[in-house]
Amino acid sequence: MIDKDKIFIFDTTMRDGEQSPGASMSLEEKIQISRIFDELGIDIIEAGFPIASPGDFEAVSAISKILKNSIPCGLSRASKKDIDACHEALKSAPRFRIHTFISTSALHMKHKLNKSQEQVLDAIKESVTYARNLTDDVEWSCEDGTRTDMDFMCKIVELAIKSGAKTINIPDTVGYTIPSEFTKIITTLKNKVPNIDKAILSVHCHNDLGLAVANSLAGVSAGARQVECTINGIGERAGNAALEEIVMAIKTRNDLMPYTTGINTELLSKASKVVSNATFPVQFNKAIVGKNAFAHEAGIHQDGMLKNRETYEIMTPESVGVKKTSLVMGKHSGRHAFKEKLNDLGYVDVTDDIIQSAFGKFKILADKKKHVYDDDIAALVDDSMISEKSVINLKSLKVFAGTGEPQRAEMTLDVYGEVKKTSETGDGPVDAIFKCIKVLYPHDVKLQLYQVHAVTEGTDAQATVSVRIEEKGKTTVGQTSDTDTLVASANAYLSALNKMIIKRKKTSAPIEHETQKVKGI
Ligand code: KIV
Ligand code: ZN
């Protein structure tokens, strides 16, 4: 058998992924995600941007201590201060990578850096050499690579390798390239850079034109051997290339892409759930991990599937860890079965208190609702996880809605241990509910999104409400479910607010000015 080339999978869910609006993850969530990623077989985990905030530093440092297989990595600009912070956060790991980058397109050099080509060349030499003295695993990236002059790119890639970079990453920072152009860029680097064989070429594609995965695969076919991606494709703006799509495309079309990855694909679904629990829901029709990815609705398709699965199925749900059962448990199911189910659904490391609280809610739901599905259970655990850390909690809610009268809500909240009550009217019941919260806990945030969808089918289905709020450029998302849409709305808003309170604390430490500067890359 011919040995297939290995494609290294570099995950940046907790760094670039976290830069998506509303995707900030707590330290506990990042640790939980890292454990799954380690098991999943990810080669390199970019755990954060240590200089950016004390929270990022702490996360990179904690993750570096727990990884058993994956190599931890931190991001730094081309500055000694950034590289030192990276090194400090990573150094307890037996092996680690420092990833340093600088913008190289004419546009970025002029308007963002205000530097000439010569100054950028000096910065590359200095930063890569500095990092190389701290570790032999240095990755260098040319930000806005796909809009960089090709002759200049050949020169800087050669310099970065000469200065000690072992991995050269070519980002399509603004998701601008197309597969044929990206193929040409990678091929040119392979052909023109004299020392290119001393480094691994990597690709890092954003999805602004919906081409991130196609461009990454074009890069691989042209000779790149590392792909940077995120679970569920989360990331700045339209996101990054989705890890699960890259891996399954290589696996499914191995006839045309004869490469291997170290990913245990049966854990993809679990990884996706753990990430979406910490960030936001995955769209139903998302490839590989969307709820509908393996659902066959049309009669003609179902008929074909019954005769031979391959008629309409190019990969099996089992190959990505999707279990067939979706109708799960009833009111007679015990605590042990419930715990097992949580594990199956990707909820690992859940505390006994959360299990107890979710189990209580499950029993109440099972009494109300004929069928309790996997997604219902996932929604209950999410709620229990959120309320565990909350400082503002809903005690009671009554809503007066319908035609005629103005809609009114009566609410009791526990605010930092103090029970407070109010009654407000609004433009509709949801508006009245949100007004009550504002009166009981005065705050000034912008509501960016309010969305409702049913968790499962039927009029007795739970509704999941998602709320995104924004305060001084920071966003948080709250998501909760209940058979009562208005209760879910109140709790979703409170969840986003509780997260904002945590976020305020996390980023109010001394190097906040760095956070703002850095996250504005
Ligand atoms: O998109 C980008 O250019 C990046 C770099 C920092 C690698 O995320
Ligand atoms: Zn990026």
Side-chain angles (χ1 to χ4, degrees), residues 203-216:
V203 289
H204 174 116
C205 297
H206 280 266
N207 206 29
D208 298 66
L209 293 173
L211 293 170
V213 170
N215 288 332
S216 304

Side-chain angles (χ1 to χ4, degrees), residues 11 39 195 251 295 307 342 379 462 465 472 478:
D11 178 274
E39 210 187 328
N195 54 0
K251 185 171 172 164
K307 290 176 176 142
L342 295 191
Q462 293 194 92
V465 177
K472 294 185 192 144

Side-chain angles (χ1 to χ4, degrees), residues 15 59 61 67 139 150 185 276 340 388 406 420 432 487 520:
R15 200 278 298 169
S61 163
L67 295 180
E139 171 169 332
M150 204 57 228
I185 293 173
S276 71
E340 290 274 296
E388 212 205 19
K420 295 179 163 191
V487 173

Side-chain angles (χ1 to χ4, degrees), residues 139-158:
E139 171 169 332
W140 176 78
S141 287
C142 42
E143 193 188 6
D144 207 16
T146 51
R147 293 193 297 174
T148 296
D149 172 78
M150 204 57 228
D151 289 336
F152 184 54
M153 185 155 16
C154 289
K155 209 159 141 184
I156 51 182
V157 166
E158 182 181 353

Side-chain angles (χ1 to χ4, degrees), residues 217-237:
L217 294 173
V220 167
S221 294
R225 289 294 173 265
Q226 175 178 286
V227 177
E228 302 200 355
C229 40
T230 60
I231 287 283
N232 299 338
I234 66 168
E236 286 271 12
R237 307 179 307 277

Side-chain angles (χ1 to χ4, degrees), residues 488-508:
S489 302
N491 278 326
Y493 190 99
L494 287 172
S495 157
L497 199 56
N498 277 302
K499 285 187 184 169
M500 188 61 84
I501 292 168
I502 295 172
K503 203 164 188 178
R504 276 183 204 150
K505 276 195 223 143
K506 233 174 87 175
T507 50
S508 63

Side-chain angles (χ1 to χ4, degrees), residues 12 15-17 19 46 143 169 171-174 204-206 228 235-237 239-240 521:
T12 183
R15 200 278 298 169
D16 225 354
Q19 288 176 213
E46 188 165 56
E143 193 188 6
N169 181 42
D172 182 26
T173 304
V174 288
H204 174 116
C205 297
H206 280 266
E228 302 200 355
E236 286 271 12
R237 307 179 307 277
N240 289 56
I521 56 166

